[in-house]
Amino acid sequence: MIPSILPTYNRAPLTFVKGQGSWLFEEGGARYLDLGAGIAVNALGHAHPALVETLKTQGETLWHVSNLYRIPQQEDLADRLVDATFADTVFFTNSGTEACELAVKMARKHFFDAGQPERTDIITFSGSFHGRSSAGIAAAGSEKMTKGFAPLLPGFTHLEFGDHDALRAAITEYTAAILIEPVQGEGGIRPVPDQCLKGLRDLCDEHGILLIFDEVQCGMGRTGKLFAHEWAGVSPDIMMIAKGIGGGFPLGAVLATEEAASGMTAGTHGSTYGGNPLGCAVGAKVMEIIADAEFLAEVNRKAGLLRQKLEGLVAAHPDVFEGVRGSGLMLGLKCRATNSDVVAAGYAEHVLTVPAGDNVVRLLPPLTITDEEIGEAVDRLGRAAARVTGDAA
Ligand SMILES: *Cc1c(COP(=O)(O)O)cnc(C)c1O
């Protein structure tokens, strides 16, 4: 019999009833060190006092009014995002998937209004993830996500990650945009080298194509810059964000330049919930905390510490791990053992990680994780690794 919850997830037999900082608690008090952070959502950990305070205050004042009216909290968050980035304008969504939908629509509308309606094609890359909507799965293109869901939304060209020649060859007079995650998340924590991001920017400029970055997972301080593409010194025309921006409240956004967004006039797009006062009040508080030089410097310092300890872990367990990769506090342990076995052994050691593609175990701890917790995390991962090889003490 089908369960009351549609069974599209293989869930771990864990039930958490409370969160505090980097820790999740089961009924009865057993605690787990959370290196998954709800898949990079709990960027400030669980029950961050400033976010709780903001949520309570806004919750007692006004939750929702719809986009029929001006929303000061939305204007505040949009201003903060515009001030801190390449963008001139922002549209708020409830998720990364919806941000993907708008990014695709915006790119196509841009060329439609520019008198080039034939330019609808969007180039994407193997191993990418852009959400589970019809546009999202068509964009990523993997069989795992698309099989059985045809007909898929047309207009996506899929290229091998890192194949520069194929990329040059794929650009035609029908190309509207290139869509890429600066650091692939689901695909296995694969950073795009800075040189390649620069090359993509040049290629787009050369051919008059829009560059779209999907920073849903790698953005919001995750890599030690507010947005991952800042490391490469290039900016996109359109960017999708979500996950960390709400700190646990469902919130996403599309950021764009005035030029890229030029086709999105009144009536061309909308959202009932997107950008409501409650979500935007929380998002503005998250931005206030993360878009801060000292906070980001701390993320970088802690990322260095975690990475160094993980290199030690890999060296100590060469039969389980092959190496560490990633950027900032978005790190992947490439496994020799099976990644899901490592994640499951982590459950036994009360440390939570997330499997990713390419046999990688993903570490996306709260950006607020402490040095002590980093030490504890790697100790627990070491004991998990010993379990995988049957050397548990
Ligand atoms: C999670 C994710 C999405 C989809 O976001 P949802 O909020 O789950 O809809 C899109 N792109 C990337 C890179 C993601 O990691």
Side-chain angles (χ1 to χ4, degrees):
M1 201 177 73
I2 195 165
S4 60
I5 292 172
L6 191 73
T8 61
Y9 279 94
N10 278 317
R11 292 165 197 271
L14 296 169
T15 307
F16 299 111
V17 296
K18 189 181 123 120
Q20 192 72 59
S22 305
W23 299 87
L24 282 170
F25 297 80
E26 286 182 312
E27 194 76 61
R31 62 175 202 162
Y32 291 68
L33 188 47
D34 185 8
L35 306 184
I39 317 185
V41 166
N42 303 105
L44 298 177
H46 299 279
H48 188 288
L51 296 192
V52 172
E53 175 61 33
T54 300
L55 188 75
K56 275 187 180 163
T57 306
Q58 189 60 44
E60 283 163 0
T61 312
L62 185 64
W63 294 20
H64 178 85
V65 294
S66 90
N67 287 301
L68 296 172
Y69 312 106
R70 289 187 63 174
I71 300 172
Q73 296 80 4
Q74 189 181 127
E75 291 171 16
D76 174 32
L77 178 54
D79 288 345
R80 287 175 189 274
L81 288 165
V82 165
D83 286 349
T85 67
F86 72 95
D88 302 314
T89 189
V90 182
F91 183 92
F92 291 102
T93 65
N94 311 288
S95 67
T97 301
E98 288 163 89
C100 178
E101 293 292 322
L102 173 55
V104 168
K105 285 177 69 177
M106 184 183 282
R108 290 177 174 170
K109 187 68 160 50
H110 170 84
F111 287 107
F112 181 87
D113 284 9
Q116 298 177 285
E118 71 285 0
R119 285 178 78 157
T120 56
D121 197 53
I122 297 175
I123 293 173
T124 61
F125 299 91
S126 58
S128 65
F129 183 83
H130 303 295
R132 297 296 199 132
S133 65
S134 292
I137 62 174
S142 72
E143 185 178 319
K144 189 177 153 213
M145 277 185 278
T146 59
K147 194 176 177 193
F149 297 114
L152 299 179
L153 184 69
F156 293 95
T157 297
H158 306 104
L159 300 180
E160 277 311 306
F161 190 78
D163 186 341
H164 297 185
D165 295 336
L167 177 58
R168 283 203 163 271
I171 292 174
T172 70
E173 67 269 35
Y174 302 110
T175 308
I178 296 174
L179 164 59
I180 191 166
E181 295 160 80
V183 184
Q184 275 193 355
E186 306 299 315
I189 312 293
R190 297 197 291 178
V192 179
D194 290 351
Q195 264 328 103
C196 294
L197 287 182
K198 284 199 181 86
L200 283 177
R201 181 70 269 176
D202 291 345
L203 207 55
C204 286
D205 291 344
E206 193 183 315
H207 295 272
I209 297 167
L210 297 173
L211 182 58
I212 308 174
F213 286 158
D214 181 346
E215 293 229 15
V216 168
Q217 193 162 149
C218 63
M220 288 310 295
R222 182 54 48 193
T223 67
K225 296 266 193 203
L226 184 58
F227 292 104
H229 68 263
E230 293 171 31
W231 289 110
V234 297
S235 33
D237 303 292
I238 300 173
M239 179 167 73
M240 300 143 56
I241 68 171
K243 292 200 166 96
I245 180 69
F249 194 97
L251 182 63
V254 172
L255 283 64
T257 63
E258 183 167 9
E259 170 74 10
S262 58
M264 303 307 295
T265 51
T268 55
H269 195 65
S271 171
T272 298
Y273 290 124
N276 81 7
L278 198 53
C280 286
V282 174
K285 183 54 76 175
V286 172
M287 265 299 279
E288 184 188 321
I289 294 170
I290 294 182
D292 172 81
E294 272 177 49
F295 182 90
L296 291 171
E298 268 297 281
V299 172
N300 281 303
R301 189 189 60 74
K302 288 185 286 196
L305 179 66
L306 177 57
R307 188 159 190 139
Q308 178 202 336
K309 286 185 181 288
L310 289 175
E311 298 285 2
L313 174 78
V314 169
H317 301 276
D319 38 355
V320 178
F321 302 116
E322 201 175 303
V324 188
R325 65 197 198 196
S327 176
L329 287 175
M330 183 174 186
L331 294 170
L333 287 164
K334 169 78 174 161
C335 294
R336 285 216 168 82
T338 304
N339 61 349
S340 53
D341 291 347
V342 177
V343 172
Y347 296 150
E349 295 296 338
H350 289 200
V351 60
L352 305 176
T353 59
V354 186
D358 200 28
N359 201 28
V360 162
V361 169
R362 230 182 319 179
L363 309 180
L364 307 158
L367 305 180
T368 49
I369 191 170
T370 66
D371 290 10
E372 197 189 347
E373 287 164 349
I374 286 171
E376 182 68 40
V378 179
D379 288 349
R380 288 177 190 229
L381 289 171
R383 295 201 294 272
R387 275 179 190 269
V388 169
T389 49
D391 301 335

